[in-house]
């Protein structure tokens, strides 16, 4: 049963409840539009108030009830009102302002970030070490080295163009020019320029370009010390700033500027201010004018680009930089440089670029031999190019030119396939004072004086003679003068000409280059003794041993290879009392601290005794003095000369090696086919007695000019006679009828009697000693026939068959006394 509402209060009209409800809704609507309600909406609590009010109206319906006017005031007029809800579920009516942080938060965040950044900077600065001298870059003080002639004049400059100078050698105007160009606040700043740094950082961060603007201190740090690369980045820049600040505190401005000026590159290959002064103005740095200094300072900005521009005859860029620098100098010191822009508006004239190639001509051969010797001694070419050494060579400039002239003037008419090597060694110390290895190193790098190993031919015989004398045999000993001869392991060996009577003493055998006699000497003393003496004199022992293995006793007549410089040094044992100094081309090497790092060796080897050397000279003098000698054309008019010729099979090599007490010189010639590189015959006209002897004479005449005339030591007469073949019996001759008008002057040619009669007179020979216009052999050369006097082991020349004549058999050396001295 439906419940019925109680009757309204007495006296209330029935429609009163409806009117109350309408009034309440109208009041609520007004409250929602009032400012007290939140922006744009009604609250949850307002909605609840309306619900309660409606229900109260339904339930009570009376004005005095809980929902009526003047009641307990639920949510209608007279209560708390409908607009005071918290609006938790309504949208925020503030819009974009809700994203703006409080100023307190902003300030706190800025403080934290700033503290962090400065903390990081402080930590980075504290952890950046101050560079020391040991931290410098390996190449920062690289200096090229200078090679000098023996008279201490420069031969060549190799490597980095840099000469270190101290600040006292750098004039103030040069310093000011560099400061005006690169860092005008240098003398006042603390290593960095804040304006330039800000400009540089902004350009880098903005991406416009990665810009420099480094101070002199920063540039010096970057170029001088390790750990600062040339990379353009913010990280490198920050580290560079830290280092610059610390360096400015640790070292003086003068030291910073000195290191900078010795390090920086100026162009034309010049590193450092001294090298730049030489490269552009051919002056030392202390002789530069302010204008010259301004020009060089302007080049620091971009030296390679300025080089290219100037090479293209475009001077605008360097002129612009010059103008910038002189105006900056006027700003720095108006009193000193104020008039400079008006007085000198144009950059000073520079010298032409000197792209000098020190290897051109014969200099390349000298430089190469110096570098090779230094490498053997532990100094590499890289060390030379960076180490700043002073290298004093043994080369005499005048004699080097004399060697070139002697070769070229005396061989100019010969084929270009014919090569000549010449070497001259001071026997008193082993210094190679001169040589000729070729006409131009840039066209042909092969050095004939040092590199061409050719058969020595008869020019090897003096070492056999030395072994003979050292074994206790005398010069008076008689040997086989007629060929052919058989020797173990060797083909039959013959002579270019036989000695009448078939026997010959040691002196004449040397003068006339008798092969059979020297083979017998080698068989008597043993090849090991010959090898020992030749190796001691500087001939390559490996080549000697190989020759013994391949050719056996043909070694005694020169079948082994030698170079001109080896032969020149080898004969020094005769010129210098049996002593041998190692051949060398470097006297000493001095480093940049003036310390001698490679001194000259004064050690020598006593290869043979002084007496053996003296007696060997007696025999070798006759090669030049005797009318029958093969080296007559080598005679010098004012002093004694001794030596030996050499010509091998088919005239493939020809030699003359001779000496005075002061100088030993070797000349060797050979021919090489240009297409096949095969060695060919020099031709019948070229023998040791012809062209090599002429070249030797031309050079030695110039080399000995003005030198003291020193005689050879007297004959020592060492050893005992060891006549391997019988001494010839003198043939009695009738006593001549005395000439009452004549004078008796038997003379003395220094040769023991070996034919039982007087030596042939010049009339008998048809030529006088040294008369190269005379031809006693009928070959139109003016020289004795020396064709084929050594070098091979058969098949031609004097080594091989003798046209069917029976070969002489050498006596067994074991069946006779050795003749050695006790």
């Amino acid at each position: 049963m439906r419940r019925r509402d109680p009757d309204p209060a007495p006296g209330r009209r029935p429609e009163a409840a409806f009117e109350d409800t309408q009034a309440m809704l109208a009041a609520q609507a007004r409250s929602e539009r009032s400012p007290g309600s939140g922006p744009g909406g009604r609250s949850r609590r307002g909605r609840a108030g309306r619900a309660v009010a409606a229900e109260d109206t339904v339930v009570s319906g009376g004005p005095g009830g809980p929902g009526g006017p003047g009641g307990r005031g639920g949510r209608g007029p007279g209560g708390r009102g409908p607009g005071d809800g918290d609006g938790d579920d309504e949208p925020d009516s503030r819009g974009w302002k809700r994203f703006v942080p409080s100023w307190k938060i902003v300030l706190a965040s800025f403080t934290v970030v700033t503290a962090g950044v400065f903390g990081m900077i402080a930590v980075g600065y504290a952890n950046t070490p101050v560079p020391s001298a040991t931290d410098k870059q390996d190449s920062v003080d690289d200096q090229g080295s200078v090679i000098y002639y023996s008279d201490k004049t420069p031969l060549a400059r190799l490597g980095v163009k840099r000469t270190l100078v101290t600040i006292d050698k750098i004039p103030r105007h040069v310093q000011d020019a560099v400061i005006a160009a690169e860092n005008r606040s240098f003398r006042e700043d603390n290593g960095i320029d804040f304006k330039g740094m800000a400009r540089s950082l902004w350009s880098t961060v903005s991406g416009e370009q990665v810009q420099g603007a480094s101070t002199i201190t920063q540039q010096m740090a970057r170029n001088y010390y390790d750990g600062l690369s040339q990379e353009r980045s913010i990280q490198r820049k920050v580290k560079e700033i830290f280092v610059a600040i610390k360096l400015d505190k640790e070292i003086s401005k003068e030291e910073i500027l000195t290191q900078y000026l010795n390090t920086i590159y100026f162009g034309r290959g010049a590193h450092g201010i001294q090298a730049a002064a030489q490269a552009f103005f051919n002056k030392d740095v202390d002789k530069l004018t302010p204008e010259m200094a301004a020009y060089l300072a302007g080049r620091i900005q971009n030296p390679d680009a300025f080089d290219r521009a100037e090479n293209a005859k475009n001077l605008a860029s360097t002129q612009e930089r010059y103008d910038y620098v002189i105006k900056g100098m006027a700003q720095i010191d108006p009193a000193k440089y104020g008039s400079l822009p008006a007085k000198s508006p144009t950059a000073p004239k520079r010298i032409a670029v000197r792209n000098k190639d020190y290897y051109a001509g014969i200099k390349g051969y000298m430089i190469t031999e110096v570098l090779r010797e230094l490498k053997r001694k532990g100094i590499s070419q890289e060390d030379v190019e960076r180490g700043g050494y002073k290298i004093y060579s043994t080369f005499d400039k005048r004699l080097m030119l004399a060697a070139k002239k002697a070769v070229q003037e005396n061989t100019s008419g010969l084929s270009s396939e014919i090569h000549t090597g010449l070497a001259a060694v001071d026997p008193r110390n082993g210094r190679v004072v001169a040589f000729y290895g070729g006409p131009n190193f840039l066209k042909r790098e092969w050095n004939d004086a040092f590199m061409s190993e050719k058969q020595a031919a008869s020019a090897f015989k003096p070492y056999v003679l030395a072994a003979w004398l050292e074994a206790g045999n005398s010069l008076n000993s008689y040997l086989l003068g007629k060929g052919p001869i058989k020797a173990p392991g060797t083909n039959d060996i013959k002579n270019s000409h036989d000695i009448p009577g078939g026997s010959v003493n040691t002196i004449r055998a040397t003068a006339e280059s008798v092969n059979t006699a020297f083979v017998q000497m080698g068989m008597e003393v043993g090849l090991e003794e010959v090898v020992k003496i030749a190796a001691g004199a500087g001939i390559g022992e490996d080549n000697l041993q190989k020759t013994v293995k391949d050719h056996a006793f043909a070694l005694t007549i020169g079948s082994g290879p030698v170079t001109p410089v080896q032969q020149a040094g080898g004969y020094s044992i005769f010129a210098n009392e049996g002593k041998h100094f190692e051949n060398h081309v470097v006297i000493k090497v001095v480093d940049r601290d003036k310390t001698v790092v490679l001194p000259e060796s004064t050690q020598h080897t006593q290869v043979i005794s002084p007496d053996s050397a003296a007696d060997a000279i007696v025999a070798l003098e006759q090669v030049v003095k005797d009318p029958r000698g093969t080296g007559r054309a080598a005679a010098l008019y004012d002093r004694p000369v001794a030596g030996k010729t050499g010509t091998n099979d088919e005239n493939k090599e020809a030699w003359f090696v001779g000496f005075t007490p002061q100088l030993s010189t070797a000349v060797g010639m050979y021919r090489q086919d240009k297409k096949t590189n095969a060695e060919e015959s020099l031709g019948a006209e070229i023998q040791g007695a012809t062209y090599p002897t002429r070249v030797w004479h031309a050079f030695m005449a110039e080399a000995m000019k003005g030198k003291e005339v020193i005689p050879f030591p007297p004959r020592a007469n060492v050893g005992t006679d060891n006549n391997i073949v019988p001494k010839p019996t003198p043939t009695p001759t009738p006593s001549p009828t005395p000439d009452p008008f004549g004078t008796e002057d038997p003379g003395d040619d220094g040769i023991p009697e070996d034919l039982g009669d007087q030596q042939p007179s010049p009339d008998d020979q048809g030529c006088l000693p040294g008369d190269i216009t005379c031809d006693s052999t009928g070959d139109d050369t003016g020289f004795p026939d020396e064709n084929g006097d050594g070098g091979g082991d058969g098949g031609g020349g004097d080594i091989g068959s003798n046209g069917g004549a029976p070969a002489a058999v050498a006596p067994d050396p074991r069946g006779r006394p050795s003749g050695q001295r006790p």
Side-chain angles (χ1 to χ4, degrees):
M1 181 174 168
R2 182 177 180 185
R3 181 184 175 188
R4 296 179 58 93
D5 291 333
D7 293 334
R12 180 172 178 85
R13 292 180 297 112
E15 59 271 24
F18 174 78
E19 291 173 352
D20 290 342
T21 301
Q22 292 298 318
M24 181 188 68
L25 292 175
Q28 184 174 354
R30 286 194 300 272
S31 68
E32 289 175 351
R33 289 194 299 268
S34 69
S37 63
R42 293 171 290 185
S43 69
R44 188 178 1 172
R45 295 180 64 179
R47 290 195 300 271
R50 289 198 307 274
V52 171
E55 184 175 330
D56 288 347
T57 301
V58 172
V59 173
S60 62
R72 289 187 297 172
R75 301 295 189 267
R80 289 166 46 191
D84 64 349
D86 58 8
D88 288 342
D89 58 351
E90 294 296 323
D92 194 339
S93 61
R94 293 177 296 171
W96 62 269
K97 294 183 179 180
R98 60 194 172 120
F99 296 106
V100 178
S102 166
W103 65 268
K104 296 180 180 180
I105 296 176
V106 171
L107 180 60
S109 299
F110 178 78
T111 303
V112 170
V113 171
T114 303
V117 169
F118 277 95
M120 291 172 62
I121 292 175
V123 171
Y125 179 80
N127 290 330
T128 300
V130 179
S132 64
T134 59
D135 297 321
K136 65 183 181 181
Q137 298 176 19
D138 290 339
S139 61
V140 72
D141 55 358
D142 284 355
Q143 297 181 63
S145 297
V146 182
I147 301 175
Y148 297 93
Y149 287 105
S150 58
D151 64 358
K152 299 182 181 180
T153 58
L155 163 62
R157 301 176 187 274
L158 305 178
V160 178
K161 292 181 182 179
R162 179 186 282 121
T163 302
L164 301 180
V165 290
T166 54
I167 194 66
D168 59 296
K169 299 294 184 182
I170 305 174
R172 178 73 180 207
H173 59 263
V174 176
Q175 301 176 36
D176 289 343
V178 173
I179 292 171
E182 293 297 309
N183 180 194
R184 295 179 183 178
S185 64
F186 170 73
R187 298 193 189 277
E188 295 80 30
D189 64 35
N190 61 352
I192 58 174
D193 178 2
F194 285 105
K195 291 182 180 179
M197 184 173 63
R199 181 174 62 253
S200 171
L201 288 175
W202 171 250
S203 298
T204 301
V205 171
S206 64
E208 295 177 8
Q209 64 177 22
V210 183
Q211 187 171 314
S214 297
T215 64
I216 286 176
T217 307
Q218 288 173 261
Q219 293 182 57
M220 185 276 289
R222 180 171 65 247
N223 294 321
Y224 193 84
Y225 293 107
D226 265 335
L228 291 175
S229 68
Q230 298 294 329
E231 176 190 0
R232 292 185 173 184
S233 66
I234 295 177
Q235 181 181 2
R236 192 270 299 167
K237 195 74 174 177
V238 171
K239 186 175 181 180
E240 180 184 294
I241 291 170
F242 290 164
V243 171
I245 295 173
K246 288 197 170 186
L247 284 175
D248 190 76
K249 293 180 179 179
E250 295 292 331
I251 60 179
S252 67
K253 292 287 187 181
E254 288 74 17
E255 187 174 353
I256 291 172
L257 192 58
T258 302
Q259 291 182 359
Y260 178 77
L261 288 174
N262 281 323
T263 304
I264 205 70
Y265 181 61
F266 288 87
R268 290 194 183 182
H271 296 261
I273 188 65
Q274 170 63 20
Q278 287 287 337
F280 289 91
F281 299 107
N282 196 28
K283 294 179 179 291
D284 289 332
V285 62
D286 58 356
K287 299 296 189 298
L288 292 176
T289 65
E291 291 85 353
M292 294 175 179
Y295 170 80
L296 293 177
R299 281 187 134 264
I300 296 174
Q301 184 190 58
N302 199 342
D304 289 329
F306 294 144
D307 277 349
R308 291 191 294 271
E310 290 192 341
N311 290 339
K313 308 300 182 182
N314 179 8
L315 307 182
S317 56
T318 49
Q319 175 61 40
E320 181 181 350
R321 285 295 295 167
Y322 170 78
D323 185 64
Y324 172 79
V325 176
I326 59 174
K327 289 179 179 178
M329 294 173 70
Q331 292 177 11
I332 290 175
D333 192 340
K336 191 174 183 180
Y337 309 117
S339 62
L340 196 59
K343 183 181 72 172
S344 304
T346 304
K349 184 177 180 180
R350 285 78 73 188
I351 64 173
V353 178
R354 296 180 294 186
N355 292 324
K356 188 172 184 178
D357 193 337
Y358 287 106
Y359 284 84
I362 63 174
K363 283 186 176 182
Y365 300 108
M366 289 185 272
I367 295 169
T368 301
E369 290 309 317
V370 167
L371 293 177
R372 284 176 179 163
E373 182 167 309
L374 291 177
K375 184 177 181 180
R376 293 195 299 270
K377 303 288 186 179
I379 300 177
S380 67
Q381 183 170 344
E382 182 181 2
D383 294 335
V384 170
E385 293 177 349
R386 299 172 55 184
Y389 294 112
K390 291 184 177 181
I391 303 164
Y392 297 92
S393 77
T394 61
F395 304 131
D396 184 305
K397 184 177 183 179
R398 181 179 72 86
L399 296 187
M400 286 294 301
L401 295 175
K404 177 182 177 181
K405 181 180 179 181
V407 171
Q408 294 184 347
E409 288 188 352
N410 285 278
T411 63
S412 59
L414 300 178
S415 167
S416 59
E417 293 183 334
I418 295 175
H419 303 285
T420 304
L422 179 153
V425 175
D426 188 332
R428 300 164 296 184
N429 48 39
R431 295 178 181 178
V432 181
V433 298
F435 70 91
Y436 179 82
N440 189 340
F441 182 83
L442 296 181
K443 295 182 178 179
R444 182 176 181 265
E445 295 185 8
W446 187 265
N447 186 338
D448 283 314
F450 284 81
M451 301 169 70
S452 292
E453 293 185 327
K454 303 299 176 183
Q455 286 187 341
S458 288
F460 186 83
K461 290 174 179 175
Y463 306 117
V464 182
L465 174 62
W468 173 258
L469 296 171
E470 279 290 285
N473 303 298
S474 74
L475 290 174
N476 296 327
S477 302
Y478 276 81
L479 301 144
L480 184 64
K482 182 179 181 178
I485 185 173
K486 287 184 179 293
T490 308
N491 291 341
D492 294 352
I493 296 174
K494 65 178 184 178
N495 298 316
S496 63
H497 65 284
D498 289 334
I499 302 299
S503 61
V504 62
N505 72 15
T506 306
I507 294 177
R508 185 175 179 184
T510 303
E512 297 188 43
S513 198
V514 180
N515 290 334
T516 53
F518 282 89
V519 174
Q520 279 192 324
M521 291 184 200
M523 295 175 68
E524 181 74 9
V525 302
L527 291 180
E528 64 276 4
E529 291 301 317
V530 176
V531 169
K532 178 181 177 181
I533 286 177
I539 307 302
E541 186 168 2
D542 289 344
N543 284 338
L544 291 168
Q545 295 292 355
K546 187 177 187 302
T547 302
V548 170
K549 179 181 178 181
D550 295 343
H551 303 292
F553 285 92
L555 170 73
T556 60
I557 56 173
S559 62
V562 294
T563 66
V565 73
Q566 287 176 342
Q567 283 288 71
Y571 275 42
S572 68
I573 67 173
F574 307 113
N576 191 25
E577 300 181 332
K579 302 183 187 72
H580 178 260
F581 290 84
E582 182 182 2
N583 295 337
H584 58 281
V585 300
V586 176
I587 297 174
K588 64 178 179 179
V589 177
V590 181
D591 67 13
R592 66 184 68 177
D593 296 323
K594 299 182 180 180
T595 301
V596 177
V597 295
L598 185 63
E600 183 177 25
S601 173
T602 58
Q603 298 296 317
H604 70 270
T605 303
Q606 190 72 44
V607 181
I608 60 176
S609 69
D611 287 346
S612 294
D615 281 0
I617 290 175
V618 172
L620 294 172
E621 276 191 285
Q622 296 307 311
V623 174
V624 179
K625 291 171 63 176
D626 187 344
R628 297 164 298 196
T630 57
R632 300 194 313 270
L636 298 175
Y637 77 94
D638 63 341
R639 66 190 66 238
V641 169
K644 187 70 186 73
T645 56
T647 309
N648 81 335
D649 283 352
E650 302 176 8
N651 288 27
K652 285 187 175 180
E653 284 100 20
W655 293 86
F656 184 78
V657 187
F659 56 91
T660 66
Q662 299 104 312
L663 195 62
S664 176
T665 299
V667 178
M669 299 179 69
Y670 69 97
R671 182 171 190 159
Q672 188 173 34
D673 185 274
K674 288 184 177 179
K675 295 181 179 179
T676 66
N677 288 330
E679 193 169 348
E680 298 180 344
S681 174
L682 288 163
E685 74 279 7
I686 301 180
Q687 303 173 24
T690 59
Y691 284 93
T693 305
R694 294 175 193 172
V695 172
W696 187 95
H697 181 276
F699 170 75
M700 288 293 284
E702 180 64 26
M704 292 291 100
K705 187 181 294 183
K707 301 292 184 182
E708 178 186 1
V709 177
I710 301 175
F712 287 126
R715 178 172 173 172
N717 284 312
V718 299
T720 58
D721 296 351
N722 183 5
N723 299 323
I724 296 180
V725 298
K727 180 178 180 180
T729 303
T731 301
T733 56
S735 300
T737 302
D739 182 357
F741 300 101
T743 58
E744 183 176 359
D745 184 9
D748 181 9
D749 60 8
I751 304 178
E753 294 181 357
D754 60 354
L755 296 177
D757 55 7
Q758 295 180 345
Q759 297 293 334
S761 66
D763 291 336
D764 296 326
Q765 295 293 316
C767 298
L768 291 173
D771 183 2
I772 64 175
T773 64
C774 177
D775 181 15
S776 64
T777 63
D779 62 359
D780 297 326
T781 64
F783 297 92
D785 181 8
E786 200 207 9
N787 183 35
D789 68 348
D793 60 356
D798 61 344
I799 303 177
S801 173
N802 194 28
V809 178
D812 186 352
R814 294 171 295 182
R816 64 164 53 252
S818 68
Q820 292 183 350
R821 292 172 289 181

